[in-house]
Amino acid sequence: MGSAGVLSLAGVLSLAGVLAGDSGVQPAGIPPPPLDLGHTVLPGKDALSHSQGPDCREVRKQNSSEWCRFVRSSPDCRLEGGFLDYLDGVFCVFPPRLLPLAVTLYALWLLYLFIILGVTAEKFFCPNLSAISTNLKLSHNVAVFSLTCPLHGVTFLAFGNGAPDVFSAVVAFSDPRTAGLAIGAIFGAGVFVTTVVAGGIALVKPFTAASRPFLRDVIFYMVAVFLTFMVLYFGRITLGEALGYLGLYIFYVFTVVLCTWLHRRQRQEGLAPPGPREPEVPTDAEEQESSGTNSGDYGEEYRPLLPSPETSLHILTTALSPLDYRKWRRKPWYWRFFKVFRMPVELVLLLTVPVVDPDKEDLNWKRPLNCLHILTSPLLCILTLKSGTYGLYQIHGVFPVWGLVILAGFVLAFITYITTSNEEPPKYHCMFAFLGFLASAMWINAAATELVNILRTLGIIFQLSNTVLGLTLLAWGNSVGDTFSDLTMARQGYPRMAFSACFGGIIFNILVGVGLGCLLQMTSSQPVVKLEPDSLLVWILAGALGLSLVFSFVSVPAQCFQLGKAYGICLILYYLAFLCVALLTEFRVIHLSTI
């Protein structure tokens, strides 16, 4: 897991803007759904400039018999986007005495949403991005270079772990009431990854950090944090500043490419001494070969004695199976337990998202399944865009849009099926990578929208600010993938690569998350978005992230880039202290006395 790479990332960013539903472009003949683009104030917990009526958090102060009426009559309790009305469900569907049951179900659904985000990004979003970069003749470490040290290449798994962060931030910024989630998640994930994950890597396997990539990434990240601190201090972000965030990331891209080119040239000329080099990370195919599934005695029992062409039905059933029985037999019980929960998600994704794999001889061409994808992928996109608003629209009040999509998809699928074969992929097979990239991005956006809505609902139930929910639940959930992948890389002997990913990946999250999220909220009449911190917690969060970066920027060179367990313990203790201060501030134990 060159300059054209900038275009690839720009495509990702523009796609995210389209998925957020705020591009301002409406399909011809379709009346626009009720949007709320005039809200340029992104408040914290208590600001109500965007709506009339009381704050939705006042519902818990009402009599339990009035909860449902309050939620349905208050404009502030209306959730933006999404398929489920979580507030109506917890306060109207469930009786007050069953509130703990409703919260438990919501918490389980929240965990499952994180699983959906992780599986979609890892197994569908990133492989298709890899295929697109291959077809565009881009090197992988240029296509998503920001996520790890360029001297060792970039894993697409790391980019997949960053995609949910950015999508969640864009979705959260799209509603003024949930902007605090985006701020808390971006800063909270930054503190978590640069302390707990980086410290965990040093604890698992002490190593020597790559000096120049580390200093470059930390300096860029400190600049990004400082810019965000100034935006919060002045309480607004202009169009130029939002574009400046994206411009800074492009400059970071240029710096990474230039530094990589200079370093390689120096090494070729013998001017730069080769540093400690890590072995290359094995690909999935190499891991399979080493485990004996593709060669050797273990794999022979699964091979037919006489090769014969597979039928379309057998290809379809095999391709739709999310379970590898050979791997199932080798894995421990806890892997199997987690796999059971992932299988429904993987099955639905296999049905709706095509995957092109350039590393396979047949490019993962599955003729019957790919023909089915021509029907299901566009249908998925139209039904998830703006929570199905466009898909359910009826043309001239007679024929629904989803019916037209099914009809067109069926015709194209039939033509593709009769003009191709099971054995050889067609010349236009690369187009399935773009279709899969779009479909997986729509899945991520839909899951991120539900995630933001359910977090806001939990904040209303427990009377918690969006900022604390962002820096805890949302930040932790979006950082789970980074944590496991980086610690696993460190245990396998690649601590430098994992450590570089900690500081490189979050630069993309903060610059694109804040820049793009605020840019999509601007209109021609209101080119300014107000960011008004709701409490002392926002300043503690920003200060903690800046202080952790300064600590690493000073202490790592002071140790001659030799990072051991003492460094790791200090970072983890720092995060625990920060978390205690943040929670004490949220519950008003620590507060500023008014004069």
Side-chain angles (χ1 to χ4, degrees):
M1 259 194 262
S3 60
V6 178
L7 299 178
S8 176
L9 281 174
V12 177
L13 305 186
S14 60
L15 173 63
V18 172
L19 298 182
D22 295 325
S23 61
V25 180
Q26 304 293 344
I30 298 180
L35 299 180
D36 197 0
L37 297 180
H39 298 157
T40 56
V41 179
L42 300 186
K45 179 169 63 174
D46 302 320
L48 293 171
S49 60
H50 66 284
S51 65
Q52 301 293 331
D55 190 339
C56 192
R57 285 180 173 80
E58 299 291 327
V59 64
R60 293 302 304 277
K61 299 178 181 180
Q62 308 294 320
N63 189 285
S64 60
S65 61
E66 298 293 322
W67 286 355
C68 183
R69 184 196 62 79
F70 184 92
V71 167
R72 290 180 174 177
S73 62
S74 176
D76 191 54
C77 294
R78 295 171 186 167
L79 298 177
E80 295 291 336
F83 294 93
L84 300 175
D85 191 339
Y86 298 102
L87 285 172
D88 187 83
V90 72
F91 291 116
C92 297
V93 176
F94 287 89
R97 65 178 181 276
L98 293 182
L99 182 61
L101 175 61
V103 171
T104 302
L105 294 177
Y106 280 14
L108 293 176
W109 176 233
L110 179 67
L111 293 176
Y112 207 68
L113 285 173
F114 281 121
I115 293 177
I116 294 174
L117 283 171
V119 172
T120 308
E122 176 185 349
K123 293 184 174 295
F124 297 87
F125 185 80
C126 293
N128 282 308
L129 177 64
S130 174
I132 291 173
S133 66
T134 300
N135 281 283
L136 295 178
K137 310 300 182 186
L138 305 177
S139 64
H140 286 187
N141 60 313
V142 171
V144 285
F145 37 73
S146 66
L147 301 173
T148 188
C149 176
L151 304 181
H152 301 289
V154 179
T155 63
F156 282 87
L157 172 60
F159 181 71
N161 290 334
D165 295 89
V166 175
F167 274 87
S168 299
V170 171
V171 171
F173 272 123
S174 66
D175 187 352
R177 296 165 296 179
T178 57
L181 279 173
I183 297 174
I186 291 174
F187 279 163
V191 178
F192 182 83
V193 171
T194 57
T195 55
V196 175
V197 181
I201 293 171
L203 285 175
V204 168
K205 192 174 185 64
F207 65 101
T208 302
S211 57
R212 286 182 292 184
F214 168 77
L215 294 176
R216 177 199 65 218
D217 292 343
V218 171
I219 290 174
F220 268 96
Y221 196 35
M222 286 194 296
V223 171
V225 172
F226 177 76
L227 290 178
T228 308
F229 184 88
M230 296 303 297
V231 166
L232 292 173
Y233 177 79
F234 289 107
R236 61 180 176 80
I237 179 171
T238 63
L239 176 61
E241 291 168 341
L243 294 176
Y245 272 89
L246 302 179
L248 181 60
Y249 185 75
I250 295 176
F251 180 65
Y252 171 73
V253 169
F254 174 78
T255 304
V256 172
V257 175
L258 180 62
C259 291
T260 304
W261 179 78
L262 290 176
H263 181 79
R264 288 176 177 173
R265 183 176 180 181
Q266 290 177 350
R267 292 190 62 179
Q268 291 174 356
E269 296 176 355
L271 300 178
R277 188 174 181 83
E278 295 174 350
E280 186 177 349
V281 180
T283 62
D284 292 340
E286 291 170 346
E287 291 176 355
Q288 291 173 356
E289 290 178 0
S290 64
S291 62
T293 58
N294 288 338
S295 60
D297 297 335
Y298 183 79
E300 290 295 334
E301 61 180 296
Y302 299 98
R303 295 181 180 178
L305 294 177
L306 297 176
S308 60
E310 293 183 297
T311 63
S312 296
L313 180 61
H314 182 264
I315 293 174
L316 180 63
T317 55
T318 303
L320 285 177
S321 175
L323 183 62
D324 186 342
Y325 294 100
R326 292 169 289 180
K327 183 180 293 186
W328 177 272
R329 292 170 53 179
R330 301 193 310 268
K331 293 296 183 178
W333 66 269
Y334 55 85
W335 184 92
R336 299 181 185 183
F337 179 79
F338 186 61
K339 182 67 175 180
V340 169
F341 287 94
R342 290 172 49 132
M343 284 176 60
V345 178
E346 294 179 355
L347 178 60
V348 174
L349 289 169
L350 286 171
L351 280 168
T352 55
V353 183
V355 177
V356 178
D357 190 350
D359 297 327
K360 292 184 178 181
E361 185 177 354
D362 62 352
L363 304 178
N364 200 39
W365 166 249
K366 310 295 181 184
R367 179 190 175 206
L369 181 59
N370 288 140
C371 291
L372 181 62
H373 286 149
I374 298 177
L375 177 65
T376 58
S377 294
L379 184 62
L380 162 76
C381 294
I382 198 67
L383 290 179
T384 54
L385 185 64
K386 294 301 297 182
S387 303
T389 302
Y390 294 108
L392 299 178
Y393 176 75
Q394 292 186 345
I395 303 175
H396 299 296
V398 178
F399 198 73
V401 173
W402 62 265
L404 179 63
V405 172
I406 290 179
L407 183 61
F410 179 80
V411 173
L412 290 176
F414 179 76
I415 295 175
T416 303
Y417 188 82
I418 63 176
T419 57
T420 57
S421 64
N422 291 334
E423 292 76 20
E424 185 178 355
K427 294 181 180 180
Y428 53 83
H429 184 227
C430 61
M431 298 304 298
F432 283 88
F434 292 90
L435 180 62
F437 176 78
L438 177 62
S440 58
M442 295 299 297
W443 269 115
I444 292 176
N445 181 74
T449 301
E450 299 298 322
L451 186 68
V452 169
N453 285 341
I454 199 171
L455 283 175
R456 180 169 184 262
T457 301
L458 292 177
I460 291 173
I461 295 174
F462 294 108
Q463 301 291 289
L464 297 174
S465 67
N466 287 327
T467 304
V468 76
L469 288 172
L471 72 91
T472 52
L473 295 180
L474 188 54
W476 294 340
N478 285 337
S479 301
V480 167
D482 295 285
T483 304
F484 281 104
S485 61
D486 292 343
L487 293 181
T488 299
M489 277 194 293
R491 281 194 296 266
Q492 293 177 349
Y494 313 101
R496 297 179 73 201
M497 184 184 301
F499 189 73
S500 297
C502 291
F503 290 91
I506 50 182
I507 296 176
F508 177 83
N509 296 345
I510 187 172
L511 291 178
V512 177
V514 176
L516 185 63
C518 292
L519 186 63
L520 292 176
Q521 295 312 299
M522 297 178 182
T523 63
S524 57
S525 59
Q526 293 287 346
V528 176
V529 172
K530 293 184 179 179
L531 291 173
E532 299 175 355
D534 62 338
S535 67
L536 177 64
L537 182 58
V538 177
W539 302 112
I540 292 177
L541 184 56
L545 178 56
L547 187 60
S548 68
L549 292 175
V550 171
F551 172 76
S552 294
F553 182 72
V554 174
S555 62
V556 172
Q559 301 174 78
C560 298
F561 299 93
Q562 303 284 338
L563 305 183
K565 294 185 177 181
Y567 174 75
I569 292 174
C570 288
L571 289 181
I572 294 176
L573 291 177
Y574 177 87
Y575 182 79
L576 293 176
F578 152 73
L579 192 60
C580 290
V581 172
L583 293 178
L584 291 175
T585 304
E586 172 66 18
F587 294 111
R588 307 290 182 179
V589 177
I590 300 177
H591 61 277
L592 290 177
S593 58
T594 57
I595 301 178

